[in-house]
Amino acid sequence: TAGGTAGNREWKEYGKLYRQDILLLLVILTVFIALAVYRIAAGGEYSGDEFFSLKDTMGYAYTGKTMEWDFHTNGITDVDVGLPFDFRLLAWWMRLVGTNIVLLRGLSAVYGALAVISFYYVVRRLTGSTEWTALAAILLATNAIMLNLSSIVRGYTLLLLLNIWIFYFIYRALQGRGGGEPKSRMGTVLRRWLDFDYRYAVPALV
């Protein structure tokens, strides 16, 4: 039938766009990974900023205690660093790969790659344009600051990844789910409150 033919044509168009997005994302991701690996390999020794991450996580990685590590004595101190979640992730990663400088820095590149993927998805959902999404994603993937943060032992790219999803969840929460305009001021107030989509607000707050 005509309706069935139109529906099949529409699904084919969606499939074409979907494949195009996947292909573009893979190309952008490949470019980012290549640049990040190059920066990591050419990064040299640990920088001063990275030592803050190492001294706060090595104690937990080696002893299971959230105590600061002393590089002079090669052991833990009596200073409890508390160890936030991103440092715990680094400590668990350190248990897997050891203190190899390339592999430790690779965790930031993994966060960066996930941030690029997430950024592509969010921009695609917001703009509906494959071209603008690809342009925005390639600008992020080749940004010098992004590449620098993806090649050091710090949690900045994890913070970027979380902020992308926080923004998206807040945006979706504010979109609401209802339709039609209220006919009174009280109705407007209730509409603004009740139409808030808590499915996305809760993850954003978490």
Side-chain angles (χ1 to χ4, degrees):
T1 63
T5 303
N8 291 334
R9 189 181 303 113
E10 185 176 355
W11 277 109
K12 287 181 180 179
E13 289 297 323
Y14 279 130
K16 183 179 179 180
L17 287 174
Y18 179 77
R19 289 193 296 271
Q20 185 179 14
D21 281 321
I22 293 295
L23 180 61
L24 285 171
L25 180 56
L26 287 176
V27 171
I28 294 169
L29 201 57
T30 301
V31 170
F32 169 78
I33 292 173
L35 293 174
V37 169
Y38 173 78
R39 291 290 292 266
I40 290 173
E45 297 297 321
Y46 290 116
S47 66
D49 199 29
E50 291 175 300
F51 281 109
F52 287 106
S53 296
L54 293 173
K55 73 176 184 178
D56 284 351
T57 56
M58 288 180 70
Y60 184 76
Y62 291 150
T63 68
K65 299 178 181 178
T66 58
M67 311 303 288
E68 185 178 271
W69 187 263
D70 190 330
F71 293 102
H72 298 291
T73 63
N74 204 29
I76 59 174
T77 67
D78 57 354
V79 178
D80 192 334
V81 294
L83 212 64
F85 180 68
D86 58 325
F87 280 19
R88 289 181 184 269
L89 290 177
L90 177 59
W92 294 332
W93 180 253
M94 191 179 295
R95 289 177 181 176
L96 290 175
V97 304
T99 55
N100 182 286
I101 187 170
V102 173
L103 294 179
L104 276 184
R105 286 173 171 168
L107 182 60
S108 293
V110 171
Y111 294 148
L114 292 175
V116 171
I117 295 171
S118 301
F119 185 72
Y120 190 101
Y121 173 81
V122 170
V123 175
R124 184 69 173 83
R125 289 297 300 268
L126 266 59
T127 65
S129 168
T130 298
E131 293 77 12
W132 285 109
T133 300
L135 176 61
I138 195 66
L139 288 175
L140 174 65
T142 58
N143 182 274
I145 296 177
M146 174 67 171
L147 291 170
N148 181 59
L149 297 181
S150 299
S151 60
I152 59 175
V153 187
R154 297 291 281 173
Y156 299 127
T157 46
L158 174 60
L159 181 62
L160 172 62
L161 172 63
L162 294 176
N163 276 316
I164 289 172
W165 285 106
I166 288 171
F167 167 80
Y168 179 68
F169 286 139
I170 292 176
Y171 169 80
R172 289 299 302 270
L174 293 175
Q175 288 299 294
R177 290 177 290 179
E181 292 296 327
K183 298 180 179 180
S184 66
R185 179 165 301 185
M186 180 60 69
T188 301
V189 173
L190 291 174
R191 163 72 181 278
R192 289 175 179 175
W193 172 248
L194 295 176
D195 200 42
F196 194 76
D197 198 335
Y198 297 94
R199 297 174 302 168
Y200 296 97
V202 172
L205 291 174
V206 171

